[in-house]
Amino acid sequence: MQLGFFTMPVHPLEKEWKRSLQEDREAFILADELGFTEGFCGEHATDQAENITSCSLFIATLIDATKRIKLGTGTVNLPNSHPAAVAAQVAMLDHLLDGRFIFGISPGGLISDAEVFGNLDANRNEMFLEAINHVLRIWSSEPPYDIQGKYWHITTARTVLTEIGQGILPKPLQRPHPPIVVTAVAPFSKGITEAAARGWEPISANFLMPVWVKSHWPKYVEGCERVGRPADFAHWRVAKSVFVAEDRATAKEYATSARSPYRFYYEQMLGKMRKGGRLELFKTDRNMSDDEVNIDMMMDALVIYGTPDEVADKLLAFRETVGPFGTMLYAGHDWLDRELARKSMVLLAEKVQPQIVQAERDATGVGRTKSAVG
């Protein structure tokens, strides 16, 4: 099991924006130093708590601050931008990162973003599919282009001057394009099946109950089988809220108390999903009533905390429940206490992951999985 990093992020509304952005950057830099293989960040334009407004722009600030970690958009909300702008910006970012780039895409889940960008009442899933198809067509074709769609028409036919380079959209460094990932937040996600059929890879969200995370793998297999490609669990990423401390009392206090950044995160998610009619994500059974969903049961099911030994045991149990996956994406949360937050990541990489890798080797009898650390 490799380690990665994924942050949405969710910060207290009163926290200085400059400070939260600095801490988010510091988390990615630390992840790189610790040998995390990947790091993703989300984007929202209209959320004061989830306040990275452009994941591409944020990643650009990390190009020279990181050395090995692959950086990914998690995700570009495609209906909110013109496909030509996305294609050009992502292509440049892939070159700037010398191929250390992963292209995460989605229709976008924040309704206030949809409203401000004028697509609240549109079919955003339809817009999403058209947008990514346009982006891929741009990268696989030559100017002057003639890419027609319901929402966008892309061409430079009236202005192209190929002899001087005008009217030509750039292509990414990785050919035919960077790896594409999609974040799955629905039980039995049909989107995973369609993504797998196109060669894309899934990320299962950290705010999804384990029973629904487990439902994702068969859907991925279904999509791979449709096109005759073997399904490899190494391509499945699962995000998880984890906190590690040297003693259990500290871990419990930081992860679960009334002032915990983890509790704050899930209170925010509960409010948003309740408003959006998506409480099913937090149910352990589809027959549960909405009234049965509360923050305490969510915290018990969705947050793993403890000493390194405890966290290793809990993560191994989680993998037994949902099935094997290739990369655990450590979910970024607000740094209420900078030193404890940093120490959690260090302990995960240096004390927890080696135990999981050893358990994998013991179970298989083969040392095929290499630690991302050291």
Side-chain angles (χ1 to χ4, degrees):
M1 187 187 79
Q2 303 285 349
L3 291 182
F5 184 75
F6 189 110
T7 189
M8 293 174 53
V10 176
H11 296 292
L13 302 187
E14 68 276 7
K15 190 166 190 174
E16 183 185 19
W17 191 17
K18 177 182 177 181
R19 180 183 169 195
S20 67
L21 290 171
Q22 288 172 336
E23 290 177 353
D24 289 335
R25 288 189 73 253
E26 190 174 342
F28 278 86
I29 294 167
L30 177 61
D32 181 50
E33 293 170 352
L34 292 171
F36 285 48
T37 59
E38 303 171 343
F40 298 86
C41 72
E43 65 177 21
H44 288 305
T46 62
D47 195 310
Q48 193 176 349
E50 294 185 55
N51 54 23
I52 291 177
T53 58
S54 165
C55 48
S56 297
L57 182 58
F58 182 84
I59 287 171
T61 73
L62 295 166
I63 292 168
D64 293 328
T66 58
K67 296 179 175 63
R68 295 176 296 171
I69 192 170
K70 294 181 180 179
L71 298 173
T73 52
T75 57
V76 174
N77 300 322
L78 291 176
N80 300 339
S81 299
H82 195 288
V86 173
Q89 291 163 8
V90 166
M92 183 175 72
L93 194 53
D94 192 36
H95 281 268
L96 289 169
L97 279 164
D98 195 25
R100 285 193 293 129
F101 179 70
I102 302 171
F103 188 23
I105 57 174
S106 78
L110 187 65
I111 56 176
S112 56
D113 277 1
E115 182 178 13
V116 82
F117 289 114
N119 57 63
L120 180 61
D121 299 318
N123 185 333
R124 292 195 298 279
N125 286 329
E126 186 178 66
M127 293 182 74
F128 162 75
L129 287 173
E130 181 175 313
I132 187 57
N133 288 338
H134 283 354
V135 169
L136 295 177
R137 280 280 305 279
I138 288 169
W139 289 341
S140 64
S141 58
E142 301 300 328
Y145 319 105
D146 185 18
I147 305 173
Q148 295 273 3
K150 178 178 178 180
Y151 299 98
W152 297 280
H153 176 212
I154 298 169
T155 181
T156 58
R158 295 172 60 190
T159 56
V160 66
L161 294 171
T162 55
E163 64 274 17
I164 63 169
Q166 178 174 297
I168 303 171
L169 285 158
K171 301 182 189 301
L173 178 65
Q174 299 177 82
R175 298 297 181 91
H177 54 74
I180 295 176
V181 301
V182 294
T183 301
V185 299
F188 303 98
S189 170
K190 295 179 181 178
I192 284 185
T193 302
E194 298 307 314
R198 298 187 65 160
W200 305 345
E201 300 173 3
I203 297 175
S204 297
N206 59 295
F207 49 82
L208 199 59
M209 285 292 179
V211 65
W212 307 135
V213 173
K214 182 178 181 179
S215 76
H216 287 171
W217 178 249
K219 304 305 289 185
Y220 181 69
V221 172
E222 181 183 333
C224 290
E225 289 179 343
R226 184 194 299 173
V227 294
R229 188 178 69 254
D232 186 347
F233 71 81
H235 297 155
W236 185 22
R237 300 161 174 87
V238 175
K240 197 67 182 167
S241 294
V242 176
F243 182 74
V244 195
E246 292 178 326
D247 65 274
R248 193 175 193 282
T250 299
K252 183 177 181 180
E253 171 69 18
Y254 194 84
T256 68
S257 70
R259 61 193 296 265
S260 164
Y262 290 71
R263 191 177 187 90
F264 171 72
Y265 173 93
Y266 283 104
E267 287 172 342
Q268 284 269 318
M269 295 304 299
L270 176 60
K272 289 176 179 177
M273 296 304 172
R274 190 183 299 279
K275 180 70 173 178
R278 304 190 68 186
L279 285 182
E280 182 185 42
L281 305 183
F282 304 136
K283 297 178 181 180
T284 55
D285 187 296
R286 283 178 158 171
N287 294 320
M288 285 179 63
S289 70
D290 288 356
D291 292 339
E292 293 179 85
V293 177
N294 61 72
I295 188 65
D296 291 325
M297 60 91 69
M298 290 168 57
M299 295 290 291
D300 287 344
L302 297 174
V303 180
I304 288 177
Y305 66 88
T307 64
D309 289 349
E310 289 177 305
V311 169
D313 289 342
K314 290 177 181 179
L315 283 174
L316 286 167
F318 174 69
R319 293 185 85 200
E320 283 292 319
T321 298
V322 305
F325 50 85
T327 302
M328 189 204 78
L329 299 177
Y330 179 92
H333 294 282
D334 183 69
W335 283 11
L336 176 67
D337 184 310
R338 178 180 180 276
E339 293 308 314
L340 287 177
R342 288 178 57 88
K343 188 66 173 178
S344 175
M345 293 177 66
V346 172
L347 290 172
L348 179 71
E350 296 182 352
K351 301 295 184 181
V352 175
Q353 192 202 19
Q355 292 188 54
I356 294 173
V357 170
Q358 187 59 53
E360 290 173 337
R361 290 172 174 165
D362 292 344
T364 62
V366 179
R368 68 167 185 263
T369 304
K370 295 182 180 180
S371 169
V373 181

